[in-house]
Every structure is written in structure tokens, then in C-alpha cells.
Amino acid sequence: MKKDKHLILRGSNYSLKRRVPVEYHSVDDREVVWISLDTDSLVLAREKSQDVWKAHIAGWEARLAGESEDATQHFETAKALADAKGIQYLPVTQVADLPIEDLLKRIESIGLHRDEPDTAQAGAALGAVDVPKLTISEALGEYWDLTKDRIMEKSPDQVRRWKNPRIKAVKNFTKLISDKPIAEITRDDMLAFRAWWLMRVEVEGRDAGTANKDFIHFGSVLKTVNDLKRLGLNLPVDGLLLAEGKKKSRPQFTTDWIKTKLLAPGALDGLDVEARTIFLGMVNTGARPSELANLRPEHIILDHDYPYIRIAPVNRQLKSKNAERVIPLVGVSLDAMQQCPGGFPTYRDNPTLSDVTNAYLTKNGLRETPKHVVYSLRHSFEERLRRAKIDERLRAELFGHTYAREKYGEPKLDELTEALQIVAI
């Protein structure tokens, strides 16, 4: 049959016979290659032949690329050749530690080129190709490409907020030490970075948690690149965290402050209608400002026996899988939402919302203390639920938190509404 014209029975096993494509003659001067498929079954030979031929094509492509003088290209070539041989590329130091049978398998995989051991294949099999001198800033660029899967469901603003702390960590390190090749980062470099942060914590009063985030993000960037690009480096980026001590409790507006100050006649009139509605919507829902700002019209249900909002991932990623939820609307939050049934296009995926509202609270003396911010309404709502001894399962449902205990049926909308009416303002 025509489809089997390249499969030749030689002795008891089938081989694949193919002409070497013209474009690869510079790296393989044979006219024809014979590749044993190690099977006497025509069916299996058909199945194996496609993968075997693809591996040969990959090997030729890698050897063509290997003629480049670029160190990164040479390293990628070595990995591609190793993949084509069905082995994982490892640095020479790790190859030397392999069991003897694995080492022999690698040596046996090295083919001939013009009757001599193929140097490109030997370098790939035995890890003799030097790791490219990728600088820290170059590693950050590689990191964005390697982690595209982590931002697929994020909105543009969420992507910006995800990238910024990693950019900051790299910037802090390179400004203090240098933008050196990641293979040359020493333990002394990392300890100097830690000492710099410790000084800022002690002298400038910076938060130890902020320092630890820098260590974590910087280490994550380098380890991800090292792992996914199979560089095989021993990176000295662990064991740097500072003791954070007891976490400070988050401020919350007291119920009296909400009633007498925030809800005083005219107190919020200077806020634009969308920002004001979101702010008041938080009072009896505890939803995050960004969750409310990104509500679509179909998620604001007012013509229902139990009006509610639905927090759902639309062109953005929620805080966690449990954050998708429904929250009944009661009290001032219900009244407010009736002002914006179509949602909040001004602040949708817009990071300025909290800044605008916090600035207004400051200007008009509406902060209970200087540490109180918009987000304090969420903590006030949580505290009212706790003081009212609302069932822990219902509280978890309303806040989108994980509920550790076994569930006995999902809370109904009427059940959630009844709980909220107890604490509603």
C-alpha cells in the first residue's frame, strides 16, 4: 500500500526508509536514512514511524540552529536534540551523577556524523553545553513568557497588579547588587539583599511582610525560569524570610460611625453616583470594592422576592474559586443599588476607585482613624456577623471563604437574606 512505502521489512523487524530533505544536507550528507522501528508488527510500525520521523526532523532543525554563535541558541539546541533522542537534557555535573546504566544509554544515543561521533548530539546527551549567561532582567522577560497560563483569566488591571510586585522585587535587587547573570548570584548577594531589607524594617519602620514578599517574588521568578528552561542551576534564594511577628488587626468602622457619620444626610453627596453606590453597597454585603465595580447588569437582580447580586468571573479572575457567590441586598445597600442597576462602567477594571473614595473620606473627615479606608467596611460587616453569632457556614458563603466542615446542603437565598437582615444598617 502507498501509505506503507517507507516501511521496509529488514530481517524480522520493520525499518523506516526516508530521503534526507535537501534543506538538511548541510548537517547530514546522507541521501537516505534507515531507522529501525524495533517491531515486526506492521500496525505498530505505522504508529511509531510518524513520531520517529518527527524526532529526526527535530534533530536536524536543532543541528541547523546549533550553527549559530549565540549561547542561548546553543543551549536551546542541546535541549531540542536531547528531546529528539527521548532523553532529558541535564548539566554535565548531573549527568556525572547518573546511574551507570542511564549514562550508558545516553552514550549509546549519540549518532555518527561523517563517520565520527556527532558533537552536537554528544553535547546534548552528556550536558556539555554551557548554560547561557541570562541576566536577572532577561530572566524576568523570560518569566512573563513562561507564565502566560497564570494570567489567561485575569483582566488587564489584574495583570498589572500581578506583575508589579515581581518587577519591584527585581528592581530592588538589581539596584542594590547589579543586573548580573543569574548563574552568578551568590549566597552573599542574597544575604546582602536581606540585610538591606532588615535595615529598612528597623530604621525606616517598613513592614517585614513587605520585605518577605520581595524575597518570595524574586525567588519565584528565578526558580521558575531555572526549572522551566531546565538550566540546572543551584540558586541560593531560600531561607531569607524575616520574622513578621503578630499580624496587626485590620481597622473596621464601628456601627455608630457608619450610622452617624458615613450615612449622615449629605455626607456622601460629593462622591460621583457610581463610587457612592459601590461604597454603600459594601455596607451590607461585605463585597470587595473590585467585586462590586465589575458587576454587570445581569448580575444585579432587583426584581426578585429576595434582591441580590451575583459575584462572577467575567473577563477577570476572582480572588479564589469560592469567591463566586450570591449576596442578598438589604437596607442601605439595596437602596443604593437601585441607583445603578446597569452596573459601574466608570470603575470597571479601573484601579482608581479606592483612591477616589479614600481621598473623599479624608477630605471630608469621614475616616474614623487615619488607618480606616474603604476596605474597612468589609471588616465592619464581618464583625457584625460575628457579633450576631450568624452561623459560620453562612458567613463563609457570604464572604466567599472556604468552609472547612462538611456541608449539609447549600444555603438558600431566603436563608442568607434572613441572616443579613439581623445585622443590616
Side-chain angles (χ1 to χ4, degrees), residues 125-402:
L126 303 179
V129 180
D130 291 335
V131 175
K133 291 190 174 183
L134 196 68
T135 66
I136 297 167
S137 58
E138 289 171 340
L140 182 62
E142 295 281 355
Y143 179 79
W144 303 139
D145 290 334
L146 295 170
T147 56
K148 289 179 179 177
D149 58 306
R150 304 184 192 179
I151 61 173
M152 286 179 179
E153 297 180 357
K154 293 184 185 295
S155 69
D157 183 57
Q158 287 178 317
V159 171
R160 177 189 63 80
R161 287 187 280 115
W162 181 79
K163 284 187 172 183
N164 279 350
R166 291 156 178 83
I167 294 172
K168 180 179 75 70
V170 166
K171 183 178 179 180
N172 283 339
F173 184 90
T174 55
K175 185 176 180 180
L176 178 69
I177 306 300
S178 72
D179 188 17
K180 64 196 309 185
I182 63 174
E184 296 176 13
I185 295 174
T186 66
R187 186 62 178 172
D188 281 345
D189 291 333
M190 297 310 302
L191 292 177
F193 190 33
R194 185 182 190 276
W196 176 76
W197 259 116
L198 182 59
M199 179 274 294
R200 298 186 76 189
V201 171
E202 292 178 332
V203 177
E204 301 176 15
R206 300 298 295 271
D207 186 65
T210 303
N212 289 339
K213 287 178 182 177
D214 246 23
F215 302 145
I216 291 169
H217 290 314
F218 184 73
S220 175
V221 168
L222 298 190
K223 287 191 284 188
T224 299
V225 172
N226 184 46
D227 182 38
L228 297 185
K229 292 190 74 66
R230 293 179 285 175
L231 302 181
L233 300 175
N234 184 19
L235 298 169
V237 295
D238 293 320
L240 301 169
L241 299 185
L242 303 179
E244 295 188 31
K246 185 178 180 180
K247 287 190 176 182
K248 298 177 182 178
S249 59
R250 293 172 172 174
Q252 54 198 346
F253 287 114
T254 61
T255 301
D256 182 66
W257 186 272
I258 294 173
K259 290 180 177 179
T260 62
K261 299 292 185 180
L262 300 180
L263 300 182
L268 300 176
D269 286 355
L271 269 178
D272 68 85
V273 64
E274 290 186 27
R276 182 170 66 248
T277 298
I278 292 170
F279 186 74
L280 293 173
M282 292 181 65
V283 173
N284 292 324
T285 66
R288 299 175 179 88
S290 60
E291 291 177 330
L292 293 173
N294 284 280
L295 289 173
R296 301 301 196 267
E298 63 269 24
H299 299 148
I300 303 173
I301 314 300
L302 300 174
D303 56 344
H304 192 278
D305 290 342
Y306 302 98
Y308 65 93
I309 55 174
R310 179 179 295 278
I311 308 298
V314 179
N315 299 325
R316 67 191 305 273
Q317 192 174 60
L318 295 181
K319 187 77 172 178
S320 68
K321 65 179 182 180
N322 296 301
E324 186 168 356
R325 63 200 189 279
V326 297
I327 309 175
L329 292 170
V330 296
V332 297
S333 294
L334 174 58
D335 294 339
M337 282 295 172
Q338 290 170 341
Q339 303 301 309
C340 294
F344 311 96
T346 302
Y347 294 106
R348 190 171 294 156
D349 199 33
N350 185 337
T352 65
L353 172 62
S354 291
D355 291 339
V356 167
T357 311
N358 285 329
Y360 181 86
L361 296 179
T362 300
K363 182 179 179 181
N364 292 276
L366 295 176
R367 287 190 174 185
E368 197 163 355
T369 73
K371 292 185 177 181
H372 279 74
V373 293
V374 173
Y375 214 86
S376 299
L377 282 177
R378 178 171 163 87
H379 305 309
S380 301
F381 178 70
E382 187 172 26
E383 178 64 10
R384 296 204 307 276
L385 290 173
R386 190 188 67 79
R387 287 178 179 273
K389 295 182 169 51
I390 301 300
D391 182 78
E392 185 181 352
R393 177 185 60 126
L394 295 182
R395 284 155 49 194
E397 185 73 21
L398 290 166
F399 273 85
H401 292 164
T402 301

Side-chain angles (χ1 to χ4, degrees), residues 400-419:
H401 292 164
T402 301
Y403 183 65
R405 300 178 187 174
E406 184 179 356
K407 289 186 177 182
Y408 296 97
E410 296 295 331
K412 300 293 192 293
L413 196 55
D414 58 347
E415 189 179 2
L416 291 171
T417 303
E418 183 180 347

